[in-house]
Amino acid sequence: MKRILCVQDISCLGRCSQTIALPVLSAMGMEVTVLPTAVLSTHTGFPNPAVRDLSDLIVPAAEHWKREGVRFDVIYTGYLGSAEVVDAVQEAIRLLRGTDTRMFVDPVMGDHGRLYARLDADYVRLNAAFCGQADVIVPNLTEACLLTGTAYREEWTETELRELLRRLSSLGPGETVLTGVSLSAGRTGVLGYRRGGGTYFACQSRRIPAAFHGTGDLFASVALGALVRGLPDEKAFQLAADYTALTIARTVGDGTEERFGVNFEETLPELLRMLQTELKQQKDAV
Ligand code: PXL
């Protein structure tokens, strides 16, 4: 079984970050070590959450795991929330990253063209350097624009998106996957770029017009889980796009408030069926 170190906050209410990543990755069949970077009463989409910063836990926890000889197959980072946390996480990665440890970075910073509350330009700069060390990064369009100093807009041609991908790629990650991009009307998904081969890939699914908190975290966790289970990029990101669309549609149908996040608990059985189908197809193909 693969062991994933999952580094992000615990938002107690409003499903996102660890409260999505842990159940999703566990259900998809991997061992998860959680490193909470902060505990918040809610995500920052609610006004005035109570916050406990845990930046001083990060390096001692990493030193402890190192003393115990623990190795991680993947280090997965999401919302980090402060410059102190980013610095500490970088030190933890220096201690824990082996030659075969993959680093999957979701540079969670904003959405709909705006930085999340509590984050600033300094934080963006630190994240750009951090992304340079990753094997895979999965920014949304807002984050991609912030990371590259590009003016945000809603409408992009595929040629413009490819240019944005190359700019992101020059930060240094092995693979850059832009999320939440639409390549045709009524569809949304990803456009990816592999630096090694200079190749692009696209995965699109139906676009559900709703803006629930935590959908980016759900998408990233599912894509990572599928990659770790051995699906190729195109299949892993397609699965994540299809499953996220399904879950948003179900949540809209339930009438859930956007700030409470998506009802992924209802659709996890479907995720596992979709994953098994893909794994079986892959096995039958060889
Ligand atoms: O879903 C991203 C996220 C994660 N963690 C915290 C957040 C947000 C988005 O607002 O505030 C604390």
Side-chain angles (χ1 to χ4, degrees), residues 15-16 20 111 210-220 244 248 261-262:
R15 291 159 289 190
C16 68
I20 286 187
D111 211 352
F212 289 96
H213 262 270
T215 46
D217 302 344
L218 184 67
F219 182 89
T244 304
I248 297 171
V262 284

Side-chain angles (χ1 to χ4, degrees), residues 9 11 16-17 40 43-45 79 108 116 213-214 217:
D9 67 283
S11 290
C16 68
S17 39
L40 297 86
H43 58 65
T44 60
Y79 180 95
V108 178
Y116 289 134
H213 262 270
D217 302 344

Side-chain angles (χ1 to χ4, degrees), residues 11-148:
S11 290
C12 303
L13 171 75
R15 291 159 289 190
C16 68
S17 39
Q18 296 280 17
T19 64
I20 286 187
L22 175 60
V24 165
L25 291 170
S26 298
M28 291 180 86
M30 48 221 73
E31 179 192 336
V32 184
T33 303
V34 291
L35 180 51
T37 53
V39 181
L40 297 86
S41 51
T42 64
H43 58 65
T44 60
F46 286 81
N48 306 314
V51 182
R52 290 292 174 275
D53 168 67
L54 296 178
S55 55
D56 61 358
L57 173 74
I58 295 167
V59 173
E63 286 169 339
H64 182 204
W65 295 323
K66 191 177 167 76
R67 280 199 305 280
E68 291 299 316
V70 179
R71 59 169 294 282
F72 295 100
D73 296 290
V74 179
I75 299 174
Y76 166 28
T77 67
Y79 180 95
L80 299 177
S82 73
E84 291 71 32
V85 169
V86 179
D87 286 342
V89 170
Q90 265 176 315
E91 175 60 13
I93 287 170
R94 205 185 56 72
L95 290 166
L96 295 172
R97 190 180 193 181
T99 49
D100 54 355
T101 306
R102 293 186 42 87
M103 200 174 140
F104 185 96
V105 172
D106 186 359
V108 178
M109 287 189 288
D111 211 352
H112 312 293
R114 296 183 47 204
L115 261 182
Y116 289 134
R118 305 167 53 93
L119 306 181
D120 60 17
D122 220 36
Y123 183 79
V124 174
R125 261 193 304 279
L126 274 176
N127 267 275
F130 187 59
C131 283
Q133 302 167 25
D135 293 292
V136 183
I137 63 169
V138 291
N140 62 27
L141 264 176
T142 301
E143 291 150 357
C145 288
L146 288 165
L147 288 167
T148 57

Side-chain angles (χ1 to χ4, degrees), residues 211-278:
F212 289 96
H213 262 270
T215 46
D217 302 344
L218 184 67
F219 182 89
S221 299
V222 172
L224 172 61
L227 288 170
V228 170
R229 289 299 301 268
L231 293 185
D233 291 329
E234 286 82 348
K235 298 277 186 191
F237 284 99
Q238 188 64 51
L239 176 72
D242 291 340
Y243 172 68
T244 304
L246 169 96
T247 304
I248 297 171
R250 182 77 60 87
T251 310
V252 170
D254 289 345
T256 304
E257 279 182 57
E258 289 178 343
R259 60 187 185 154
F260 287 106
V262 284
N263 300 352
F264 72 97
E265 300 86 347
E266 284 179 27
T267 55
L268 275 181
E270 189 58 28
L271 170 62
L272 301 192
R273 279 193 288 276
M274 292 160 82
L275 176 64
Q276 288 311 325
T277 303
E278 289 301 331

Side-chain angles (χ1 to χ4, degrees), residues 169-239:
S169 183
S170 70
L171 297 174
E175 201 169 307
T176 303
V177 183
L178 253 180
T179 67
V181 299
S182 173
L183 300 178
S184 57
R187 313 274 294 165
T188 189
V190 306
L191 187 63
Y193 178 70
R194 287 176 280 246
R195 193 156 54 106
T199 52
Y200 297 88
F201 63 91
C203 306
Q204 297 276 289
S205 194
R206 67 199 158 117
R207 182 177 176 279
I208 316 288
F212 289 96
H213 262 270
T215 46
D217 302 344
L218 184 67
F219 182 89
S221 299
V222 172
L224 172 61
L227 288 170
V228 170
R229 289 299 301 268
L231 293 185
D233 291 329
E234 286 82 348
K235 298 277 186 191
F237 284 99
Q238 188 64 51
L239 176 72

